[in-house]
Structures are given as C-alpha cells and as structure tokens.
C-alpha cells in the first residue's frame, strides 16, 4: 500500500471497502436505480457499463455523495457519511475561471491546506500531468483534452483513496483518450481505487479489473472483468456485448 | 489574500475619511441670490480671517432655507422674505430678526421691449403692460422670495397670470429662469445681484427698475437653541453681530461686479 | 461678453484650476466610497440571495429589482429626512456632509449590485454546484469562489452603479447642500454654474466627468479583454 496523502494531510483510517446496501433512487415516479447492493474493494479498477439510461452516472453520484438515495445506504468502512478521501472527475470538466495553477491550488485550499503548503503539491501535479507549460494559462481556454487532464490532476491532488470517473473520455479524440487511459492505469498501479463509467467497451476491456453491468436501473452482473467478457452469465449482458442492447 | 484584504480595508478608510475639519464652522441657510451673486465668496473670507470660524452656506430658495432652519439643519438663516421671516421668529423658530442689507429687483426683457415697459411709471404699471401685450414672462414658480415678490406685483396690477400661454413657470432657480428668459426671449423679474453676475444674457437687458416696491430687504436670524439644542449659539451670534457691525456692513457695500454695487447696507445701529 | 464656453473650459482644465481639482477630488472620493460600500454590502448579499432559499426570498428579489429604478431624488429625500436634525439620526450631525452624500449614492448603487450579483451567481451556481460540492466546498466558501469567478460580469454591474452615482445630481444636492469647498460635487457644481450663466466652468466640469466615466469604462473593457480567458 502506497503512502496516501500529502505530508501535511492527516491520514485517517481507510474508507474502503465501500458497501452499497439495497440502494434505490427514483425521481418523478420513475425508479432510476433500484436494489443495488455491491462492494467496491480497495485497490481495484471497477468499470460500470450498460446501455444509455441504465443509471451509470447516477450510481457514481450516489456513491460520491452528491445525491442522497431514496432507499438503501452507502456505507464507508470508516463509518463516515461522506469521507474527504474521495474525488470525482466529471464527463464535462467544470474548471474555475482562473489559471491552471489557481484551479489546482483551489482544490487544496478547500481541503484546508495552508497557503504556504500548497506550492509543492501543485508543482508536483503540474509536472506529473504535463501541465507545467500551461500553468499560467486560463483554464477555460485549454483544449478539451487539456481541460480533462487538469480536472484529473485536480482530483489526484486531493490524494483520494477512491476516484470516481464519469465517462471521462467521452468528448475527447483518440489521442487524448489514450493519454487519459494511461493516466488512469497509472493511478491504479499506485494503489488508488477507481470506479468509472464508460460506454466504450474497448475502454472497459483495457482498464477493468471488475465489471458492474447495469440495465434499466438494476444491477445485472458484477464480477471479474475477464469472466464477464468471456462468458456473460445473463442474456442482457450477452446482448449488450454483441451490440444488440441499446437501451 | 490577506494583503489584498488589508489593501481593501485601507482603501475604504482612505476613501471614507475625508479631510478632517477640526476647524470650527457654522451652517448658514441662505438664498441662491446671495450665494450665486458671489457676495458670500467676498465677505466670508474676511469673517473667517477675523474669527477663525468657517461658514458653510447651503443656498436654497427662501421657503426651503426657512424649512431647513426650522428642522434645525442650520445655525443661522439669511433670507429675503420679510413676512415669512417675521412669522418664523413669531413661531419661535428664530431668536430675533436683524436687518442686514437690501438689494432690488429689476425687470429684464428683450432689448426691443415689445410691451413698452420703458414707458411705465411704476412696477405695477409695467406688469400690467406685460399682461396687456401678452408678451412672454418667465416666472420662478418656486415659492422663492423673488417669486413671492412677483406674485404680489401681479396682484396689485390686478392680473391673474397663471394659465395664460405667455406665462412660463420654470419651477427653478433665478439663474435657470434667466437662461429660459434669454432663450425665449421673455421678460423676467430678477434680483439685481444675480442679474449682474449672470453671464449668459443673450438679448436681455434691464427694461424697468427703481420703483421702491422693488426693494428687497434681507434679514438674518439665529435658529432658536430652545428648539434645537445643538445650534452653535456663540459662533452663530458672532456671525450675525459681525454682519451688522460697521465692518460687516462695509464689506457688504464693497462687493461689486464690474463696478456695480449689488447690496446696500441697512443694519440699524 | 460670453466667450465660447468650450474655450473657457479648455483653459480651466489646462491651467489646473484649483476649484476644479477640489470639486473633482471630492466627487471621486464620494462616489468611489459609495461604490466600495455598495460592493462590500451588495456582493455578499446578492450571492447569499442566489444560494439560499427562505420564505420571502422572492419578495426581497423583487424589491431590489424595483429599487434599481428608485428616483435618485426620492433616495435623497429619504436620507435627508433620516439625517436631518429633526430626523431619527439627527444627533450624528451628518446632513450637509460628504458622508451624507456617500449614503445617498450608496443607496442608489446597492440595488444594482445586489440584483446583478444575484443573477450572475445564480447562473454560475447552476454550472458549478456539482463540481464545488464534489471538491468539498461549503456553501459559505462557495460565495467568494462564485463572486471571483463572476468578476467580469460583476465589474459591469459595479460600473453601472458608479455611472448612476457619479451622474446623479438631485440626491447629493438635497443631502449635501452644495456647500462650496465642502459638499460641492461635479454634478451640483454643473447645475450651479449653469444657473449662474457661467457656462465655461459648467462645460469644463462636464468634460471632466465624461472623461472619468470614459476612462473607467475603457479600463473595464481592457480588463475584460485582457483577462478574457479567465472570464469565459
């Protein structure tokens, strides 16, 4: 297990594994997610796949604590309601109207780090994600790929135990997508737990340790990626892998 | 962030703290005629030199100046509407009224004098001539001392000017009314002081003057400290005493515009 | 006798007429103070209105929107009645002082700043809410974040406030009294000099007022362009 957190961040008990207990969410009378129970284990790359409208993004938001479930519970190992040691990267990154560096420092500032302590981690993030030459540029003027890289750098800077990624490559070209995938794989080798949605089966094959397959708001399959792709247990999963299940 | 914050606070204090006037001052409610003519600009430095008291003049119409004093927002009031002043004192708002000076009203109008005011013997006759000819007349219409004097003249002339299309009520100060009169062109009743110092005359000139009913006396009063305990009695009384002293009276007489004297001392010693 | 007022104006400005400088300095101090106070109150208030929900919130929003159209003279009259010796705050002796003018102008500026801030912050919040909550930003902490990120739009509103305050004459005349050397601002002096037929001085003051407004707006436009990236 690699050391987690910057020297000045206090390291608490691990928040993983994350358990979802019969999670349900409905809006406007429609059940968007129901009866989701699963365990997200530490150090694994969990890919959430399924056709459009299956509830993939919603599941991530419930786990991350942005939305409260109507039923069931999200249970963190340390017993906290919404632990700090988690981060999320959105499909369309929301960057502050400031420089690249200021966007990174902002995340540290919110996490309570004193101003003088922010410089070293920020420099590290700029270097690691190849953003150093862009440090003074306005974040909003970066290309799509650069913006997503900054969003990921910002999430990484919080040194989360678990990072949620919601279709992080859906708006990017193949080159930028590859770069992001390499970055994500790098996180995993360092021991970070990942939970990520994608609509790209190739990406899921490349990145996943485990697969969660959702369909119409229900958890249909959950297991090691190799098993899922080689021999899906359900008719829906088979149809989805064959490209016959569109929603 | 901290330095930015302290900069902001510093800026706020710097902006808000206007030059501290430790100097003693009094507030005088007076009329536009005294202020606009430049009389105060002439006599106040002399008074301040001698006593060290600064005088802040709020120039308003006579009615508004009396109201300001009534509310206690001035220490001394110097206006020209005798009846209103006497009522002000009688009601206990002012301590005592002192004659200070007078100037006079003049009737100004287009140089070709279409209503023939040059031939009039009295101010009343002049006003009657304007009404008869239906020549444009610009009125202050603002309950100022000048406006009150003008209304009295219409009344003695037996004319009800309001509602006639030649009667233009500007509802504004003497200067603004003269600007209007110069543009129309129209007749107007003006105090001599404002007229002499007024530069944008256009085709206007004095067409009637000299009737004693046009004399315009100024009175000065200390606001009653029994009504408003904050009134600066000593400094205010010093100003009044100085105005009616030989020295103040001479200062008033010495004020001229292009060689013309505007105000005539009238204090009873 | 009346020479060309524009020539006179130019001479007055070129020679640095001390009365002109004094009036200009006072006007700037008063209006900038009012803008500053309006912002110190209006920016947080507008942001809080944008981010919170409470009973009567709609009423407060409508009130501030309506107050943007408050006739300056009415604002002046209210401050006058408040500060007059016969009024509730008479003991502070603030009538006919620059402080009174700052109050009057502040009241004119505040609704503009509040209403604009609320609308800007509300729009930004729709865009930022999920991201900020994800980062763990509290609502209170979101206020300065959103204000800073809306700075370009907010600057426009603050300038509108400055314009309204600096161009205003009725309110400052009532509460300031147009006392020479003490509460005479550019606008009240323009009114006075015009009524005296002293058009040269009036034009000179008007020219300076216009130049100040132009300079500020030019600077604001420059800032918008320069920081264009950050502002988008």
């Amino acid at each position: 297990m690699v050391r987690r957190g910057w020297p000045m961040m206090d390291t608490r008990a691990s928040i993983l594994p994350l358990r979802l207990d019969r999670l349900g969410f409905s809006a406007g009378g429609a059940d968007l997610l129901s009866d989701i129970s699963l365990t997200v284990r530490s150090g694994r790359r969990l890919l959430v796949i399924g056709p459009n409208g299956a509830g993939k993004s919603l599941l991530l938001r419930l786990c991350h604590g942005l939305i409260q479930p109507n039923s069931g519970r999200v249970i963190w190992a340390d017993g906290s309601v919404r632990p700090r040691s988690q981060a999320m990267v959105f499909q369309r990154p929301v960057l502050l109207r400031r420089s690249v560096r200021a966007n990174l420092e902002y995340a540290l500032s919110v996490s309570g780090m004193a101003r003088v302590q922010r410089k070293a981690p920020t420099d590290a993030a700029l270097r690691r994600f190849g953003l150093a030459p862009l440090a003074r540029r306005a974040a909003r003027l970066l290309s799509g790929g650069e913006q997503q890289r900054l969003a990921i750098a910002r999430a990484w800077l919080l040194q989360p135990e678990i990072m949620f990624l919601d279709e992080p490559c859906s708006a990017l070209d193949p080159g930028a997508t590859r770069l992001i995938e390499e970055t994500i794989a790098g996180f995993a080798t360092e021991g970070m737990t990942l939970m990520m949605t994608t609509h790209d089966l190739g990406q899921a094959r490349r990145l996943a340790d485990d697969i969660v397959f959702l369909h119409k708001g229900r958890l249909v399959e959950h297991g090691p990626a190799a098993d899922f792709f080689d021999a899906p247990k359900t008719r829906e999963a088979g149809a989805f892998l064959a490209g016959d299940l569109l929603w | 962030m901290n330095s930015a914050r302290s900069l902001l606070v510093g800026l706020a204090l710097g902006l808000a703290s206007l030059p501290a006037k430790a100097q003693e001052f009094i507030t005088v409610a007076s009329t536009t005629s005294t202020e606009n003519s430049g009389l105060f600009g002439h006599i106040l430095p002399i008074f301040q030199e001698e006593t060290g008291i600064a005088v802040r003049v709020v120039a308003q119409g006579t009615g508004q100046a009396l109201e300001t004093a009534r509310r206690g927002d001035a220490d001394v009031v110097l206006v020209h509407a005798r009846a209103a002043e006497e009522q002000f004192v009688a009601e206990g708002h002012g301590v005592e009224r002192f004659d200070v000076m007078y100037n006079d009203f003049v009737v100004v109008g287009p140089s070709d004098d279409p209503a023939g005011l040059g031939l009039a013997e009295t101010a009343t006759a002049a006003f009657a001539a304007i009404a008869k000819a239906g020549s444009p007349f610009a009125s202050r219409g603002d309950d100022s001392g000048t406006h009150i004097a003008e209304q009295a003249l219409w009344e003695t002339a037996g004319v009800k000017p309001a509602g006639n299309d030649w009667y233009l009520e500007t509802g504004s100060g003497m200067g603004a009314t003269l600007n209007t009169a110069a543009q129309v062109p129209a007749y107007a009743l003006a105090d001599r002081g404002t007229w002499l110092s007024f530069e944008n005359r256009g085709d206007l000139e004095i067409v009637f003057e000299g009737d004693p009913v046009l004399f315009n006396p100024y009175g000065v009063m200390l606001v009653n400290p029994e009504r408003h305990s904050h009134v600066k009695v000593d400094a205010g009384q010093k100003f009044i005493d100085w105005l009616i002293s030989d020295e103040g009276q001479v200062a008033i007489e010495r004020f001229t515009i292009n060689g013309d004297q505007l105000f005539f001392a009238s204090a009873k010693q | 006798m009346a020479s060309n007022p524009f020539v006179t104006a130019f001479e007055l400005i070129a020679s640095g007429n001390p009365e002109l400088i004094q009036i200009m300095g006072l006007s700037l101090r008063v209006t900038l103070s009012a803008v500053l106070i309006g912002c110190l109150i209006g920016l947080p208030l507008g942001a809080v209105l944008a981010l919170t929900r409470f009973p009567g919130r709609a009423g407060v929003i409508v009130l501030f929107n309506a107050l943007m159209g408050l006739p300056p003279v009415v604002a002046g009259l209210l401050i006058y009645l408040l500060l007059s010796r016969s009024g509730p705050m008479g003991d502070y002796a603030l009538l006919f002082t620059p402080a009174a003018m700052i109050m009057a102008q502040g009241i004119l500026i505040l609704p503009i700043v509040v209403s604009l801030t609320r609308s800007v912050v509300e729009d930004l919040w729709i865009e930022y809410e999920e991201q900020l909550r994800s980062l763990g930003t509290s609502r209170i902490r979101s206020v300065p974040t959103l204000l800073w990120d809306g700075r370009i739009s907010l600057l426009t509103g603050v300038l509108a406030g400055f314009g309204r305050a600096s161009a205003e004459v009725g309110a400052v005349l009532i509460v300031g009294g147009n006392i020479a050397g003490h509460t005479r601002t550019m606008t009240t002096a323009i009114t006075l000099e015009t009524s005296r037929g002293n058009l040269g001085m009036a034009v000179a003051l008007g020219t300076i007022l216009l130049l100040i407004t132009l300079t500020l707006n030019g600077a604001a436009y420059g800032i918008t362009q320069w920081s264009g990236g950050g502002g988008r």
Side-chain angles (χ1 to χ4, degrees):
Chain A
M1 179 85 189
V2 289
R3 182 180 53 78
R4 184 172 59 80
W6 301 102
M8 39 289 201
M9 287 180 168
D10 49 342
T11 313
R12 299 189 192 86
S14 176
I15 61 172
L16 294 173
L18 162 65
R19 280 205 307 121
L20 307 184
D21 178 26
R22 284 168 293 153
L23 214 54
F25 185 84
S26 55
D31 288 333
L32 301 178
L33 279 180
S34 40
D35 204 25
I36 309 275
S37 291
L38 71 91
T39 301
V40 182
R41 287 185 294 143
S42 177
R44 304 286 287 185
R45 292 179 286 189
L46 175 63
L47 270 282
V48 180
I49 59 174
N52 288 335
K56 305 188 291 288
S57 295
L58 187 57
L59 180 61
L60 250 57
R61 282 171 166 76
L62 284 167
C63 291
H64 190 40
L66 292 178
I67 303 175
Q68 298 307 310
N70 297 123
S71 60
R73 289 186 302 158
V74 175
I75 304 160
W76 296 93
D78 71 340
S80 62
V81 176
R82 185 167 188 269
R84 277 208 159 269
S85 188
Q86 53 166 334
M88 182 157 172
V89 174
F90 295 89
Q91 186 172 359
R92 283 181 45 248
V94 179
L95 300 175
L96 302 180
R97 288 158 167 82
R98 311 171 188 204
S99 70
V100 169
R101 170 177 283 279
N103 265 275
L104 295 174
E105 289 188 338
Y106 180 81
L108 292 176
S109 149
V110 168
S111 78
M113 188 184 286
R115 172 182 292 271
V116 288
Q117 295 177 324
R118 292 176 212 154
K119 185 174 175 356
T122 304
D123 286 341
L126 287 169
R127 272 196 307 276
R128 169 166 183 159
F129 297 93
L131 294 167
L134 308 175
R136 298 171 64 116
R137 293 262 301 276
R140 293 274 174 148
L141 289 191
L142 301 179
S143 71
E146 289 165 340
Q147 291 203 14
Q148 195 56 288
R149 233 190 306 154
L150 174 54
I152 289 174
R154 181 171 61 185
W156 174 82
L157 201 48
L158 297 173
Q159 294 288 289
E161 262 192 82
I162 181 169
M163 190 185 286
F164 299 97
L165 299 116
D166 186 15
E167 301 265 11
C169 304
S170 68
L172 304 183
D173 61 44
T177 299
R178 211 190 55 193
L179 201 62
I180 301 279
E181 282 184 17
E182 283 169 8
T183 306
I184 293 169
F187 289 168
T189 57
E190 287 166 17
M192 190 187 288
T193 307
L194 302 171
M195 185 171 177
M196 170 170 160
T197 65
T198 184
H199 67 279
D200 176 351
L201 281 175
Q203 186 171 60
R205 280 179 204 272
R206 287 192 294 276
L207 289 175
D209 291 327
D210 298 311
I211 289 287
V212 159
F213 174 63
L214 294 182
H215 183 224
K216 294 186 175 168
R218 291 183 173 275
L219 192 156
V220 179
E221 283 201 37
H222 176 207
D227 297 355
F228 176 81
F229 286 115
D230 290 347
K233 294 189 203 68
T234 57
R235 192 177 47 79
E236 289 96 331
F240 180 67
L241 288 175
D244 293 337
L245 190 66
L246 298 176
W247 54 77
Chain B
M1 183 66 99
N2 278 331
S3 58
R5 217 172 272 161
S6 49
L7 182 75
L8 204 68
V9 171
L11 189 68
L13 293 175
L15 288 170
S17 64
L18 295 146
K21 294 240 170 81
Q23 194 185 19
E24 188 180 14
F25 70 89
I26 56 170
T27 304
V28 175
S30 188
T31 62
T32 45
S33 56
T34 42
E35 169 80 350
N36 289 13
S37 66
L39 173 71
F40 279 130
H42 172 74
I43 64 168
L44 293 183
I46 305 174
F47 173 69
Q48 188 173 343
E49 172 87 359
E50 221 159 272
T51 59
I53 299 169
V55 179
R56 292 181 183 171
V57 178
V58 181
Q60 302 168 323
T62 292
Q64 197 189 349
L66 287 171
E67 176 63 17
T68 297
R70 214 171 272 136
R71 297 184 64 90
D73 294 321
D75 302 301
V76 172
V77 55
L78 193 160
V79 291
H80 57 96
R82 184 152 206 148
E85 291 161 35
E86 277 162 359
Q87 188 191 352
F88 181 81
V89 172
E91 287 171 356
H93 298 292
V95 177
E96 189 185 348
R97 180 188 179 282
F98 297 94
D99 280 319
V100 178
M101 60 191 184
Y102 68 90
N103 70 350
D104 62 344
F105 291 115
V106 294
V107 183
V108 299
S111 55
D112 60 357
D113 192 12
L117 267 61
L119 305 172
E121 296 278 317
T122 64
T124 311
F127 269 56
I130 292 171
K132 195 175 171 204
S135 299
F137 182 94
S139 165
R140 294 276 292 272
D142 63 352
D143 280 329
S144 60
T146 309
H147 185 221
I148 292 167
E150 177 212 314
Q151 285 173 310
L153 286 166
W154 288 122
E155 202 174 319
T156 44
V159 176
K160 282 196 172 56
N164 291 304
D165 55 5
W166 52 266
Y167 189 70
L168 315 168
E169 283 188 276
T170 66
S172 50
M174 193 69 256
T177 304
L178 284 174
N179 276 331
T180 304
Q183 287 305 310
V184 175
Y187 289 100
L189 183 72
D191 63 278
R192 189 183 293 272
T194 304
W195 170 251
L196 284 177
S197 58
F198 185 76
E199 289 181 9
N200 188 33
R201 291 181 185 176
D203 188 37
L204 298 184
E205 59 181 40
I206 294 177
V207 291
F208 184 87
E209 61 185 326
D211 186 333
V213 302
L214 294 179
F215 286 178
N216 180 30
Y218 285 75
V220 68
M221 291 150 285
L222 182 70
V223 176
N224 196 341
E226 283 169 25
R227 291 280 179 114
H228 300 284
S229 56
H230 59 267
V231 168
K232 295 169 180 161
V233 178
D234 291 345
Q237 192 60 50
K238 244 183 218 169
F239 179 59
I240 293 173
D241 290 346
W242 181 83
L243 276 179
I244 61 179
S245 71
D246 287 345
E247 209 189 339
Q249 296 281 294
V250 168
I252 290 169
E253 295 250 332
R254 286 207 179 137
F255 173 59
T256 58
I257 290 177
N258 301 326
D260 291 314
Q261 183 181 340
L262 266 67
F263 295 94
F264 301 86
S266 66
K268 301 173 188 73
Q269 295 297 325
Chain C
M1 66 177 282
S3 58
N4 186 330
F6 291 94
V7 176
T8 319
F10 179 78
E11 286 166 1
L12 284 169
I13 295 171
S15 67
N17 180 290
E19 193 189 345
L20 202 65
I21 305 281
Q22 193 272 333
I23 290 172
M24 192 176 94
L26 176 74
S27 294
L28 277 178
R29 273 206 303 266
V30 166
T31 303
L32 288 177
S33 301
V35 167
L36 199 73
I37 291 168
C39 288
L40 285 178
I41 301 172
L43 290 175
L45 188 60
V48 166
L49 267 180
L51 298 184
T52 55
R53 298 290 180 270
F54 56 89
R57 175 176 174 271
V60 176
I61 290 172
V62 169
L63 178 71
F64 274 108
N65 283 338
L67 283 178
M68 284 199 285
L70 179 74
V73 181
V74 176
L77 189 59
L78 290 175
I79 296 288
Y80 172 81
L81 293 172
L82 189 70
L83 297 185
S84 168
R85 289 287 188 168
S86 306
M89 283 180 65
D91 290 343
Y92 296 97
L94 288 174
L95 192 65
F96 303 143
T97 65
M101 300 195 290
I102 292 172
M103 283 178 72
Q105 292 194 350
I107 283 189
L108 297 179
I109 294 170
L110 188 64
I112 298 179
V113 176
V114 169
S115 297
L116 187 89
T117 304
R118 183 195 57 78
S119 130
V120 166
V121 168
E122 228 167 52
D123 288 350
L124 271 180
W125 183 239
I126 290 170
E127 187 191 346
Y128 281 23
E129 178 179 4
E130 259 197 342
Q131 180 67 63
L132 292 184
R133 286 178 52 210
S134 169
L135 289 173
T137 315
S138 65
R139 284 233 167 182
I140 293 294
R141 180 69 176 77
S142 299
V143 168
T145 304
L146 295 167
L147 286 178
W148 181 248
D149 276 42
R151 59 197 177 275
I152 300 298
S153 314
L154 293 175
L155 184 64
T156 315
V158 171
L159 271 184
F162 180 91
R164 176 156 148 116
S166 68
E168 195 284 323
V169 57
V172 289
L173 184 62
I174 293 176
V175 304
N178 191 26
I179 297 170
H182 183 57
T183 57
R184 186 162 296 169
T185 65
M186 285 194 273
T187 52
T188 58
I190 289 171
T191 310
L192 175 68
E193 299 300 345
T194 304
S195 79
R196 288 165 83 160
N198 190 357
L199 300 184
M201 188 70 167
V203 170
L205 286 161
T207 308
I208 289 173
L209 189 56
L210 193 64
L211 283 177
I212 290 172
T213 311
L214 270 176
T215 308
L216 272 173
N217 279 281
Y221 184 76
I223 290 171
T224 315
Q225 293 302 304
W226 169 71
S227 71
R232 234 159 276 155

